Tab-separated table of all heavy atoms in Angstrom:
chain	number	residue	atom	x	y	z
A	1	MET	N	19.937	12.638	10.279
A	1	MET	CA	18.755	11.811	10.129
A	1	MET	C	19.012	10.789	9.020
A	1	MET	O	19.466	11.140	7.940
A	1	MET	CB	17.548	12.691	9.802
A	1	MET	CG	16.246	11.934	9.714
A	1	MET	SD	14.804	12.949	9.307
A	1	MET	CE	14.481	13.738	10.848
A	2	THR	N	18.712	9.522	9.286
A	2	THR	CA	18.904	8.483	8.281
A	2	THR	C	17.797	8.548	7.237
A	2	THR	O	16.765	9.204	7.443
A	2	THR	CB	18.892	7.078	8.918
A	2	THR	OG1	17.577	6.808	9.390
A	2	THR	CG2	19.903	6.971	10.044
A	3	ILE	N	17.989	7.860	6.131
A	3	ILE	CA	16.980	7.820	5.069
A	3	ILE	C	15.679	7.251	5.603
A	3	ILE	O	14.597	7.779	5.327
A	3	ILE	CB	17.502	6.998	3.873
A	3	ILE	CG1	18.637	7.749	3.192
A	3	ILE	CG2	16.391	6.705	2.885
A	3	ILE	CD1	19.366	6.983	2.132
A	4	LEU	N	15.777	6.195	6.400
A	4	LEU	CA	14.565	5.593	6.958
A	4	LEU	C	13.834	6.582	7.864
A	4	LEU	O	12.606	6.695	7.804
A	4	LEU	CB	14.912	4.319	7.726
A	4	LEU	CG	13.738	3.548	8.307
A	4	LEU	CD1	12.719	3.190	7.234
A	4	LEU	CD2	14.223	2.299	9.022
A	5	GLU	N	14.564	7.313	8.665
A	5	GLU	CA	13.938	8.315	9.538
A	5	GLU	C	13.268	9.420	8.727
A	5	GLU	O	12.195	9.896	9.091
A	5	GLU	CB	14.980	8.899	10.494
A	5	GLU	CG	15.441	7.926	11.554
A	5	GLU	CD	16.652	8.414	12.334
A	5	GLU	OE1	17.449	9.215	11.795
A	5	GLU	OE2	16.795	7.970	13.486
A	6	GLU	N	13.887	9.808	7.619
A	6	GLU	CA	13.285	10.818	6.742
A	6	GLU	C	11.979	10.301	6.144
A	6	GLU	O	10.985	11.022	6.076
A	6	GLU	CB	14.246	11.182	5.612
A	6	GLU	CG	15.428	12.003	6.046
A	6	GLU	CD	16.376	12.281	4.887
A	6	GLU	OE1	15.928	12.312	3.720
A	6	GLU	OE2	17.576	12.458	5.161
A	7	ILE	N	11.972	9.049	5.702
A	7	ILE	CA	10.769	8.445	5.127
A	7	ILE	C	9.660	8.410	6.173
A	7	ILE	O	8.514	8.785	5.891
A	7	ILE	CB	11.067	7.032	4.587
A	7	ILE	CG1	12.003	7.111	3.383
A	7	ILE	CG2	9.770	6.301	4.221
A	7	ILE	CD1	12.564	5.777	2.940
A	8	VAL	N	9.986	7.978	7.374
A	8	VAL	CA	8.989	7.903	8.451
A	8	VAL	C	8.437	9.293	8.763
A	8	VAL	O	7.226	9.475	8.913
A	8	VAL	CB	9.592	7.238	9.712
A	8	VAL	CG1	8.657	7.390	10.901
A	8	VAL	CG2	9.888	5.772	9.449
A	9	ALA	N	9.309	10.293	8.843
A	9	ALA	CA	8.869	11.658	9.140
A	9	ALA	C	7.927	12.179	8.055
A	9	ALA	O	6.873	12.757	8.355
A	9	ALA	CB	10.079	12.582	9.278
A	10	ARG	N	8.279	11.946	6.784
A	10	ARG	CA	7.412	12.385	5.681
A	10	ARG	C	6.065	11.671	5.716
A	10	ARG	O	5.024	12.274	5.473
A	10	ARG	CB	8.099	12.146	4.334
A	10	ARG	CG	9.069	13.253	3.979
A	10	ARG	CD	9.641	13.062	2.584
A	10	ARG	NE	10.880	12.307	2.744
A	10	ARG	CZ	11.315	11.363	1.934
A	10	ARG	NH1	10.631	11.032	0.873
A	10	ARG	NH2	12.446	10.746	2.161
A	11	ARG	N	6.093	10.363	5.993
A	11	ARG	CA	4.835	9.594	6.043
A	11	ARG	C	3.941	10.080	7.178
A	11	ARG	O	2.729	10.156	7.020
A	11	ARG	CB	5.124	8.101	6.208
A	11	ARG	CG	5.704	7.453	4.979
A	11	ARG	CD	4.819	7.563	3.757
A	11	ARG	NE	3.584	6.847	3.969
A	11	ARG	CZ	2.430	7.123	3.374
A	11	ARG	NH1	2.343	8.105	2.505
A	11	ARG	NH2	1.355	6.428	3.632
A	12	ARG	N	4.523	10.422	8.323
A	12	ARG	CA	3.722	10.928	9.440
A	12	ARG	C	3.025	12.233	9.071
A	12	ARG	O	1.857	12.439	9.407
A	12	ARG	CB	4.592	11.091	10.677
A	12	ARG	CG	4.933	9.767	11.305
A	12	ARG	CD	5.621	9.920	12.631
A	12	ARG	NE	5.770	8.586	13.225
A	12	ARG	CZ	6.728	8.246	14.042
A	12	ARG	NH1	7.623	9.141	14.425
A	12	ARG	NH2	6.807	7.024	14.512
A	13	ILE	N	3.727	13.097	8.372
A	13	ILE	CA	3.127	14.357	7.923
A	13	ILE	C	2.006	14.072	6.928
A	13	ILE	O	0.914	14.636	7.010
A	13	ILE	CB	4.201	15.278	7.304
A	13	ILE	CG1	5.161	15.759	8.397
A	13	ILE	CG2	3.566	16.458	6.577
A	13	ILE	CD1	6.423	16.425	7.878
A	14	ASP	N	2.252	13.169	5.984
A	14	ASP	CA	1.259	12.800	4.979
A	14	ASP	C	0.013	12.189	5.629
A	14	ASP	O	-1.118	12.535	5.280
A	14	ASP	CB	1.874	11.819	3.977
A	14	ASP	CG	0.912	11.434	2.878
A	14	ASP	OD1	0.282	12.333	2.286
A	14	ASP	OD2	0.787	10.214	2.605
A	15	ILE	N	0.212	11.303	6.582
A	15	ILE	CA	-0.913	10.655	7.262
A	15	ILE	C	-1.737	11.681	8.028
A	15	ILE	O	-2.972	11.655	7.995
A	15	ILE	CB	-0.415	9.520	8.183
A	15	ILE	CG1	0.090	8.358	7.333
A	15	ILE	CG2	-1.522	9.056	9.134
A	15	ILE	CD1	0.867	7.307	8.106
A	16	ALA	N	-1.076	12.617	8.710
A	16	ALA	CA	-1.799	13.656	9.455
A	16	ALA	C	-2.651	14.495	8.505
A	16	ALA	O	-3.816	14.799	8.812
A	16	ALA	CB	-0.813	14.531	10.222
A	17	ALA	N	-2.108	14.849	7.349
A	17	ALA	CA	-2.863	15.634	6.371
A	17	ALA	C	-4.052	14.846	5.834
A	17	ALA	O	-5.152	15.386	5.668
A	17	ALA	CB	-1.945	16.059	5.225
A	18	ARG	N	-3.849	13.562	5.581
A	18	ARG	CA	-4.947	12.729	5.078
A	18	ARG	C	-6.049	12.545	6.119
A	18	ARG	O	-7.227	12.503	5.783
A	18	ARG	CB	-4.418	11.371	4.613
A	18	ARG	CG	-3.616	11.462	3.340
A	18	ARG	CD	-2.947	10.130	3.011
A	18	ARG	NE	-2.099	10.254	1.866
A	18	ARG	CZ	-2.401	9.724	0.673
A	18	ARG	NH1	-3.497	9.053	0.498
A	18	ARG	NH2	-1.558	9.881	-0.325
A	19	ARG	N	-5.653	12.446	7.392
A	19	ARG	CA	-6.653	12.322	8.460
A	19	ARG	C	-7.498	13.586	8.575
A	19	ARG	O	-8.680	13.518	8.878
A	19	ARG	CB	-5.972	12.012	9.789
A	19	ARG	CG	-5.559	10.577	9.900
A	19	ARG	CD	-5.002	10.268	11.267
A	19	ARG	NE	-4.769	8.832	11.376
A	19	ARG	CZ	-3.930	8.280	12.217
A	19	ARG	NH1	-3.232	9.030	13.062
A	19	ARG	NH2	-3.782	6.973	12.255
A	20	GLU	N	-6.882	14.736	8.341
A	20	GLU	CA	-7.638	15.991	8.354
A	20	GLU	C	-8.587	16.062	7.168
A	20	GLU	O	-9.724	16.499	7.299
A	20	GLU	CB	-6.692	17.185	8.323
A	20	GLU	CG	-6.050	17.489	9.652
A	20	GLU	CD	-5.231	18.765	9.606
A	20	GLU	OE1	-5.656	19.738	8.940
A	20	GLU	OE2	-4.165	18.783	10.248
A	21	ALA	N	-8.126	15.629	6.003
A	21	ALA	CA	-8.941	15.691	4.789
A	21	ALA	C	-10.100	14.703	4.819
A	21	ALA	O	-11.170	14.986	4.273
A	21	ALA	CB	-8.062	15.432	3.567
A	22	LEU	N	-9.896	13.545	5.452
A	22	LEU	CA	-10.933	12.516	5.508
A	22	LEU	C	-10.953	11.932	6.918
A	22	LEU	O	-10.261	10.955	7.206
A	22	LEU	CB	-10.645	11.414	4.481
A	22	LEU	CG	-11.716	10.344	4.301
A	22	LEU	CD1	-13.032	10.948	3.828
A	22	LEU	CD2	-11.244	9.294	3.319
A	23	PRO	N	-11.748	12.548	7.806
A	23	PRO	CA	-11.782	12.086	9.204
A	23	PRO	C	-12.212	10.620	9.322
A	23	PRO	O	-12.938	10.088	8.480
A	23	PRO	CB	-12.817	13.011	9.850
A	23	PRO	CG	-12.891	14.198	8.953
A	23	PRO	CD	-12.595	13.697	7.573
A	24	GLU	N	-11.767	9.976	10.390
A	24	GLU	CA	-12.019	8.554	10.595
A	24	GLU	C	-13.488	8.163	10.564
A	24	GLU	O	-13.836	7.138	9.962
A	24	GLU	CB	-11.370	8.089	11.897
A	24	GLU	CG	-11.378	6.581	12.029
A	24	GLU	CD	-10.580	6.101	13.228
A	24	GLU	OE1	-9.704	6.833	13.709
A	24	GLU	OE2	-10.857	4.984	13.667
A	25	PRO	N	-14.414	8.922	11.173
A	25	PRO	CA	-15.834	8.511	11.099
A	25	PRO	C	-16.354	8.430	9.661
A	25	PRO	O	-17.094	7.513	9.314
A	25	PRO	CB	-16.565	9.600	11.884
A	25	PRO	CG	-15.534	10.171	12.799
A	25	PRO	CD	-14.239	10.078	12.053
A	26	ILE	N	-15.933	9.358	8.818
A	26	ILE	CA	-16.360	9.328	7.414
A	26	ILE	C	-15.717	8.149	6.703
A	26	ILE	O	-16.369	7.427	5.947
A	26	ILE	CB	-16.006	10.665	6.717
A	26	ILE	CG1	-16.812	11.800	7.348
A	26	ILE	CG2	-16.269	10.579	5.221
A	26	ILE	CD1	-16.388	13.185	6.906
A	27	LEU	N	-14.445	7.929	6.956
A	27	LEU	CA	-13.743	6.796	6.362
A	27	LEU	C	-14.380	5.472	6.789
A	27	LEU	O	-14.569	4.570	5.973
A	27	LEU	CB	-12.264	6.826	6.760
A	27	LEU	CG	-11.376	5.748	6.168
A	27	LEU	CD1	-11.352	5.832	4.650
A	27	LEU	CD2	-9.970	5.858	6.726
A	28	SER	N	-14.759	5.359	8.055
A	28	SER	CA	-15.398	4.135	8.565
A	28	SER	C	-16.727	3.876	7.870
A	28	SER	O	-17.041	2.742	7.508
A	28	SER	CB	-15.609	4.233	10.068
A	28	SER	OG	-14.379	4.248	10.727
A	29	ARG	N	-17.523	4.928	7.675
A	29	ARG	CA	-18.816	4.754	6.975
A	29	ARG	C	-18.584	4.319	5.534
A	29	ARG	O	-19.296	3.464	5.007
A	29	ARG	CB	-19.625	6.040	7.010
A	29	ARG	CG	-20.410	6.192	8.308
A	29	ARG	CD	-21.227	7.424	8.292
A	29	ARG	NE	-20.276	8.493	8.650
A	29	ARG	CZ	-20.482	9.775	8.508
A	29	ARG	NH1	-21.594	10.214	8.003
A	29	ARG	NH2	-19.587	10.652	8.857
A	30	PHE	N	-17.591	4.898	4.898
A	30	PHE	CA	-17.263	4.519	3.524
A	30	PHE	C	-16.841	3.052	3.463
A	30	PHE	O	-17.296	2.285	2.621
A	30	PHE	CB	-16.144	5.420	2.994
A	30	PHE	CG	-15.669	5.057	1.622
A	30	PHE	CD1	-16.449	5.311	0.507
A	30	PHE	CD2	-14.433	4.464	1.440
A	30	PHE	CE1	-16.004	4.977	-0.760
A	30	PHE	CE2	-13.977	4.125	0.178
A	30	PHE	CZ	-14.768	4.389	-0.930
A	31	ALA	N	-15.965	2.630	4.377
A	31	ALA	CA	-15.475	1.252	4.403
A	31	ALA	C	-16.595	0.265	4.698
A	31	ALA	O	-16.623	-0.839	4.143
A	31	ALA	CB	-14.362	1.116	5.435
A	32	ALA	N	-17.529	0.649	5.567
A	32	ALA	CA	-18.636	-0.251	5.923
A	32	ALA	C	-19.518	-0.560	4.719
A	32	ALA	O	-20.113	-1.634	4.638
A	32	ALA	CB	-19.464	0.363	7.044
A	33	GLY	N	-19.586	0.351	3.761
A	33	GLY	CA	-20.421	0.152	2.587
A	33	GLY	C	-19.750	-0.635	1.474
A	33	GLY	O	-20.377	-0.966	0.474
A	34	MET	N	-18.496	-0.963	1.642
A	34	MET	CA	-17.771	-1.682	0.589
A	34	MET	C	-18.004	-3.192	0.694
A	34	MET	O	-18.245	-3.707	1.778
A	34	MET	CB	-16.275	-1.385	0.700
A	34	MET	CG	-15.928	0.067	0.459
A	34	MET	SD	-14.159	0.380	0.573
A	34	MET	CE	-13.622	-0.366	-0.948
A	35	THR	N	-17.907	-3.860	-0.446
A	35	THR	CA	-18.017	-5.314	-0.436
A	35	THR	C	-16.657	-5.911	-0.060
A	35	THR	O	-15.616	-5.303	-0.301
A	35	THR	CB	-18.439	-5.862	-1.809
A	35	THR	OG1	-17.474	-5.451	-2.773
A	35	THR	CG2	-19.808	-5.342	-2.206
A	36	ARG	N	-16.683	-7.083	0.519
A	36	ARG	CA	-15.452	-7.741	0.950
A	36	ARG	C	-14.675	-8.229	-0.279
A	36	ARG	O	-15.252	-8.838	-1.181
A	36	ARG	CB	-15.809	-8.918	1.854
A	36	ARG	CG	-14.637	-9.542	2.547
A	36	ARG	CD	-15.131	-10.408	3.711
A	36	ARG	NE	-14.042	-10.941	4.461
A	36	ARG	CZ	-13.415	-10.297	5.435
A	36	ARG	NH1	-13.787	-9.096	5.757
A	36	ARG	NH2	-12.422	-10.860	6.091
A	37	PRO	N	-13.372	-7.977	-0.340
A	37	PRO	CA	-12.594	-8.434	-1.502
A	37	PRO	C	-12.467	-9.954	-1.516
A	37	PRO	O	-12.596	-10.598	-0.473
A	37	PRO	CB	-11.227	-7.773	-1.295
A	37	PRO	CG	-11.145	-7.503	0.173
A	37	PRO	CD	-12.560	-7.276	0.644
A	38	PRO	N	-12.205	-10.537	-2.684
A	38	PRO	CA	-12.027	-11.985	-2.738
A	38	PRO	C	-10.808	-12.408	-1.906
A	38	PRO	O	-9.887	-11.639	-1.692
A	38	PRO	CB	-11.794	-12.279	-4.214
A	38	PRO	CG	-11.716	-10.986	-4.913
A	38	PRO	CD	-12.071	-9.894	-3.966
A	39	SER	N	-10.819	-13.644	-1.467
A	39	SER	CA	-9.737	-14.170	-0.637
A	39	SER	C	-8.474	-14.375	-1.456
A	39	SER	O	-8.461	-15.129	-2.435
A	39	SER	CB	-10.154	-15.496	-0.003
A	39	SER	OG	-9.040	-16.141	0.569
A	40	PHE	N	-7.403	-13.724	-1.039
A	40	PHE	CA	-6.117	-13.870	-1.720
A	40	PHE	C	-5.599	-15.300	-1.561
A	40	PHE	O	-5.154	-15.929	-2.527
A	40	PHE	CB	-5.127	-12.857	-1.134
A	40	PHE	CG	-3.762	-12.932	-1.742
A	40	PHE	CD1	-3.542	-12.499	-3.042
A	40	PHE	CD2	-2.691	-13.406	-1.019
A	40	PHE	CE1	-2.278	-12.547	-3.608
A	40	PHE	CE2	-1.424	-13.461	-1.567
A	40	PHE	CZ	-1.220	-13.032	-2.865
A	41	ALA	N	-5.684	-15.832	-0.344
A	41	ALA	CA	-5.206	-17.198	-0.088
A	41	ALA	C	-5.996	-18.215	-0.903
A	41	ALA	O	-5.417	-19.148	-1.472
A	41	ALA	CB	-5.296	-17.515	1.399
A	42	ALA	N	-7.312	-18.041	-0.983
A	42	ALA	CA	-8.138	-18.970	-1.757
A	42	ALA	C	-7.778	-18.911	-3.240
A	42	ALA	O	-7.745	-19.942	-3.918
A	42	ALA	CB	-9.610	-18.656	-1.555
A	43	ALA	N	-7.481	-17.716	-3.747
A	43	ALA	CA	-7.096	-17.586	-5.154
A	43	ALA	C	-5.789	-18.317	-5.428
A	43	ALA	O	-5.626	-18.939	-6.474
A	43	ALA	CB	-6.967	-16.109	-5.521
A	44	LEU	N	-4.858	-18.277	-4.490
A	44	LEU	CA	-3.587	-18.986	-4.671
A	44	LEU	C	-3.766	-20.500	-4.605
A	44	LEU	O	-3.047	-21.245	-5.261
A	44	LEU	CB	-2.568	-18.547	-3.616
A	44	LEU	CG	-2.031	-17.128	-3.757
A	44	LEU	CD1	-1.127	-16.790	-2.582
A	44	LEU	CD2	-1.293	-16.947	-5.063
A	45	ARG	N	-4.723	-20.959	-3.800
A	45	ARG	CA	-4.947	-22.401	-3.646
A	45	ARG	C	-5.844	-22.990	-4.724
A	45	ARG	O	-5.894	-24.205	-4.895
A	45	ARG	CB	-5.564	-22.686	-2.271
A	45	ARG	CG	-4.587	-22.566	-1.129
A	45	ARG	CD	-5.137	-23.161	0.159
A	45	ARG	NE	-6.268	-22.433	0.688
A	45	ARG	CZ	-6.200	-21.384	1.533
A	45	ARG	NH1	-5.064	-20.944	1.928
A	45	ARG	NH2	-7.272	-20.797	1.975
A	46	ALA	N	-6.556	-22.143	-5.448
A	46	ALA	CA	-7.516	-22.632	-6.448
A	46	ALA	C	-6.817	-23.528	-7.473
A	46	ALA	O	-5.706	-23.250	-7.909
A	46	ALA	CB	-8.189	-21.449	-7.140
A	47	THR	N	-7.474	-24.611	-7.840
A	47	THR	CA	-6.892	-25.558	-8.798
A	47	THR	C	-7.565	-25.473	-10.166
A	47	THR	O	-7.177	-26.188	-11.083
A	47	THR	CB	-7.027	-26.997	-8.265
A	47	THR	OG1	-8.410	-27.281	-8.053
A	47	THR	CG2	-6.253	-27.170	-6.983
A	48	ASP	N	-8.552	-24.615	-10.308
A	48	ASP	CA	-9.296	-24.535	-11.567
A	48	ASP	C	-8.717	-23.507	-12.543
A	48	ASP	O	-9.286	-23.258	-13.585
A	48	ASP	CB	-10.764	-24.202	-11.287
A	48	ASP	CG	-10.932	-22.871	-10.575
A	48	ASP	OD1	-9.979	-22.412	-9.921
A	48	ASP	OD2	-12.031	-22.294	-10.666
A	49	ARG	N	-7.573	-22.927	-12.212
A	49	ARG	CA	-6.948	-21.924	-13.072
A	49	ARG	C	-5.498	-22.298	-13.344
A	49	ARG	O	-4.965	-23.229	-12.780
A	49	ARG	CB	-6.998	-20.555	-12.394
A	49	ARG	CG	-8.414	-20.073	-12.171
A	49	ARG	CD	-8.403	-18.659	-11.610
A	49	ARG	NE	-9.671	-18.420	-10.967
A	49	ARG	CZ	-9.810	-18.056	-9.712
A	49	ARG	NH1	-8.769	-17.864	-8.956
A	49	ARG	NH2	-11.001	-17.853	-9.198
A	50	GLY	N	-4.853	-21.500	-14.181
A	50	GLY	CA	-3.447	-21.731	-14.523
A	50	GLY	C	-2.517	-21.365	-13.383
A	50	GLY	O	-2.935	-21.216	-12.239
A	51	PRO	N	-1.246	-21.202	-13.683
A	51	PRO	CA	-0.248	-20.916	-12.639
A	51	PRO	C	-0.504	-19.582	-11.939
A	51	PRO	O	-1.060	-18.658	-12.519
A	51	PRO	CB	1.073	-20.875	-13.403
A	51	PRO	CG	0.732	-20.802	-14.833
A	51	PRO	CD	-0.675	-21.254	-15.002
A	52	ARG	N	-0.082	-19.499	-10.691
A	52	ARG	CA	-0.205	-18.278	-9.896
A	52	ARG	C	1.136	-17.555	-9.896
A	52	ARG	O	2.178	-18.191	-9.756
A	52	ARG	CB	-0.539	-18.596	-8.435
A	52	ARG	CG	-1.986	-18.814	-8.082
A	52	ARG	CD	-2.682	-19.597	-9.007
A	52	ARG	NE	-3.720	-20.494	-8.494
A	52	ARG	CZ	-4.120	-21.471	-9.237
A	52	ARG	NH1	-3.547	-21.729	-10.368
A	52	ARG	NH2	-5.100	-22.228	-8.854
A	53	VAL	N	1.078	-16.259	-10.059
A	53	VAL	CA	2.302	-15.456	-10.056
A	53	VAL	C	2.084	-14.233	-9.181
A	53	VAL	O	1.066	-13.565	-9.292
A	53	VAL	CB	2.675	-14.994	-11.491
A	53	VAL	CG1	3.896	-14.091	-11.475
A	53	VAL	CG2	2.894	-16.177	-12.402
A	54	ILE	N	3.028	-13.986	-8.307
A	54	ILE	CA	3.038	-12.751	-7.530
A	54	ILE	C	4.266	-11.991	-8.013
A	54	ILE	O	5.386	-12.474	-7.895
A	54	ILE	CB	3.124	-13.027	-6.020
A	54	ILE	CG1	1.922	-13.851	-5.562
A	54	ILE	CG2	3.205	-11.715	-5.252
A	54	ILE	CD1	2.021	-14.313	-4.125
A	55	ALA	N	4.055	-10.807	-8.581
A	55	ALA	CA	5.165	-10.067	-9.169
A	55	ALA	C	5.136	-8.611	-8.726
A	55	ALA	O	4.097	-8.069	-8.386
A	55	ALA	CB	5.094	-10.147	-10.684
A	56	GLU	N	6.292	-7.997	-8.759
A	56	GLU	CA	6.405	-6.579	-8.447
A	56	GLU	C	7.386	-5.969	-9.434
A	56	GLU	O	8.445	-6.529	-9.712
A	56	GLU	CB	6.929	-6.387	-7.028
A	56	GLU	CG	7.179	-4.943	-6.677
A	56	GLU	CD	7.787	-4.753	-5.299
A	56	GLU	OE1	8.159	-5.741	-4.656
A	56	GLU	OE2	7.908	-3.600	-4.879
A	57	ILE	N	7.012	-4.832	-9.966
A	57	ILE	CA	7.916	-4.080	-10.820
A	57	ILE	C	8.319	-2.856	-10.021
A	57	ILE	O	7.486	-2.031	-9.678
A	57	ILE	CB	7.248	-3.666	-12.146
A	57	ILE	CG1	6.831	-4.905	-12.922
A	57	ILE	CG2	8.161	-2.769	-12.949
A	57	ILE	CD1	6.018	-4.638	-14.140
A	58	LYS	N	9.583	-2.783	-9.721
A	58	LYS	CA	10.075	-1.698	-8.872
A	58	LYS	C	11.022	-0.834	-9.693
A	58	LYS	O	12.081	-1.285	-10.098
A	58	LYS	CB	10.779	-2.287	-7.650
A	58	LYS	CG	11.121	-1.280	-6.610
A	58	LYS	CD	11.592	-1.985	-5.361
A	58	LYS	CE	11.812	-0.981	-4.257
A	58	LYS	NZ	12.190	-1.627	-3.017
A	59	ARG	N	10.619	0.399	-9.927
A	59	ARG	CA	11.441	1.299	-10.732
A	59	ARG	C	12.370	2.155	-9.892
A	59	ARG	O	13.349	2.681	-10.408
A	59	ARG	CB	10.544	2.190	-11.566
A	59	ARG	CG	9.768	1.386	-12.578
A	59	ARG	CD	9.090	2.275	-13.563
A	59	ARG	NE	8.468	1.438	-14.575
A	59	ARG	CZ	7.274	1.637	-15.055
A	59	ARG	NH1	6.576	2.656	-14.657
A	59	ARG	NH2	6.779	0.828	-15.954
A	60	ALA	N	12.033	2.311	-8.610
A	60	ALA	CA	12.869	3.161	-7.758
A	60	ALA	C	12.891	2.617	-6.345
A	60	ALA	O	11.982	1.921	-5.914
A	60	ALA	CB	12.341	4.589	-7.765
A	61	SER	N	13.939	2.940	-5.654
A	61	SER	CA	14.121	2.551	-4.263
A	61	SER	C	14.192	3.820	-3.421
A	61	SER	O	14.833	4.789	-3.832
A	61	SER	CB	15.418	1.756	-4.130
A	61	SER	OG	15.802	1.668	-2.777
A	62	PRO	N	13.546	3.842	-2.244
A	62	PRO	CA	13.624	5.036	-1.404
A	62	PRO	C	15.055	5.415	-1.045
A	62	PRO	O	15.382	6.586	-0.927
A	62	PRO	CB	12.841	4.654	-0.154
A	62	PRO	CG	11.963	3.542	-0.564
A	62	PRO	CD	12.701	2.818	-1.661
A	63	SER	N	15.925	4.428	-0.898
A	63	SER	CA	17.302	4.721	-0.487
A	63	SER	C	18.271	4.869	-1.657
A	63	SER	O	19.252	5.593	-1.568
A	63	SER	CB	17.813	3.650	0.459
A	63	SER	OG	17.818	2.393	-0.175
A	64	LYS	N	17.994	4.196	-2.774
A	64	LYS	CA	18.922	4.214	-3.914
A	64	LYS	C	18.450	5.077	-5.073
A	64	LYS	O	19.200	5.322	-5.998
A	64	LYS	CB	19.179	2.790	-4.422
A	64	LYS	CG	19.774	1.857	-3.393
A	64	LYS	CD	21.178	2.269	-3.064
A	64	LYS	CE	21.761	1.290	-2.046
A	64	LYS	NZ	23.055	1.660	-1.559
A	65	GLY	N	17.189	5.486	-5.044
A	65	GLY	CA	16.647	6.294	-6.147
A	65	GLY	C	16.241	5.430	-7.317
A	65	GLY	O	15.901	4.258	-7.158
A	66	LEU	N	16.302	5.999	-8.518
A	66	LEU	CA	15.869	5.329	-9.740
A	66	LEU	C	16.707	4.081	-9.999
A	66	LEU	O	17.929	4.130	-9.976
A	66	LEU	CB	15.980	6.291	-10.934
A	66	LEU	CG	15.384	5.813	-12.237
A	66	LEU	CD1	13.882	5.627	-12.105
A	66	LEU	CD2	15.687	6.829	-13.330
A	67	ILE	N	16.029	2.957	-10.207
A	67	ILE	CA	16.707	1.693	-10.501
A	67	ILE	C	16.831	1.527	-12.012
A	67	ILE	O	17.872	1.193	-12.540
A	67	ILE	CB	15.944	0.500	-9.894
A	67	ILE	CG1	15.960	0.602	-8.366
A	67	ILE	CG2	16.531	-0.815	-10.363
A	67	ILE	CD1	15.036	-0.374	-7.680
A	68	ARG	N	15.699	1.767	-12.689
A	68	ARG	CA	15.680	1.624	-14.134
A	68	ARG	C	14.584	2.505	-14.698
A	68	ARG	O	13.493	2.566	-14.167
A	68	ARG	CB	15.412	0.173	-14.488
A	68	ARG	CG	15.533	-0.115	-15.942
A	68	ARG	CD	15.475	-1.586	-16.193
A	68	ARG	NE	15.764	-1.820	-17.600
A	68	ARG	CZ	15.899	-2.996	-18.115
A	68	ARG	NH1	15.765	-4.058	-17.377
A	68	ARG	NH2	16.165	-3.128	-19.386
A	69	LYS	N	14.883	3.202	-15.809
A	69	LYS	CA	13.878	4.067	-16.440
A	69	LYS	C	12.794	3.258	-17.088
A	69	LYS	O	12.984	2.191	-17.557
A	69	LYS	CB	14.534	4.971	-17.474
A	69	LYS	CG	15.393	6.035	-16.853
A	69	LYS	CD	15.947	6.936	-17.923
A	69	LYS	CE	16.832	7.994	-17.284
A	69	LYS	NZ	17.350	8.945	-18.219
């Protein structure tokens, strides 16, 4: 089994457990009560603020393990 296949298999197990813990009808009712998040695209296009930055700090890779402590 490749690393990617292992990740997919683990995620499928995790998703099944989460679906049991929080069934879809309950999740749907919860989501319906939430307010809509601000527009990501509009925030990037806004001209009334300073520079826009999209950043990610990645400490580990699923295939390579720890990148940096």
